[in-house]
Amino acid sequence: MLNIEKLIENESWVLVLTGEIDASNSVELDAAMSEVVNEGAKNILIDCAGLEYISSAGLGVFMSYLDEFEENNIKMAIYALKDKVFQVFHILGLDQLITIKRTKEEALEG
């Protein structure tokens, strides 16, 4: 199960992810990302403190936005990943493509 809460803080959109992202619910993450982009977000923070698991489908959602974000000067940072979730990003080399920070404060700094 996945819960996504959308907030606006200091001109940044924050998506708070809780639970697990797998093939059955990755469309929910895609819809939330699309919604904030359509709202004109230029800075998107992904709070993963409550994220217990992410599958390749979930990773694919983040990857699918990288080119669009670069073209439109949209910044995205993921923060507060649990070690086991971070390892999935790291093993696939996605930590080289996606900004990953330890804390919200670090993510806000860029």
Side-chain angles (χ1 to χ4, degrees):
M1 182 169 153
L2 173 65
N3 183 54
I4 302 172
E5 184 179 354
K6 294 185 282 293
L7 312 164
I8 298 177
E9 295 181 17
N10 304 324
E11 300 180 20
S12 296
W13 278 88
V14 180
L15 297 182
V16 182
L17 308 182
T18 308
E20 301 181 350
I21 302 171
D22 57 26
S24 69
N25 63 21
S26 63
V27 294
E28 295 172 35
L29 175 59
D30 188 38
M33 295 282 287
S34 181
E35 186 178 322
V36 298
V37 169
N38 290 336
E39 288 287 332
K42 289 295 182 188
N43 196 29
I44 302 170
L45 304 177
I46 313 293
D47 180 345
C48 293
L51 188 64
E52 300 296 330
Y53 170 83
I54 187 165
S55 72
S56 58
L59 295 170
V61 171
F62 290 124
M63 297 302 297
S64 71
Y65 283 92
L66 292 183
D67 287 340
E68 179 182 351
F69 286 1
E70 188 173 331
E71 289 170 10
N72 295 299
N73 200 28
I74 298 171
K75 294 184 172 106
M76 177 180 73
I78 296 173
Y79 68 92
L81 286 170
K82 290 180 170 35
D83 284 340
K84 66 181 181 179
V85 178
F86 173 76
Q87 287 304 317
V88 176
F89 282 84
H90 179 68
I91 288 167
L92 296 172
L94 301 182
D95 56 333
Q96 304 299 310
L97 301 172
I98 298 172
T99 301
I100 299 175
K101 301 291 185 176
R102 292 203 176 276
T103 66
K104 184 178 195 176
E105 291 71 30
E106 288 178 17
L108 284 168
E109 290 170 9

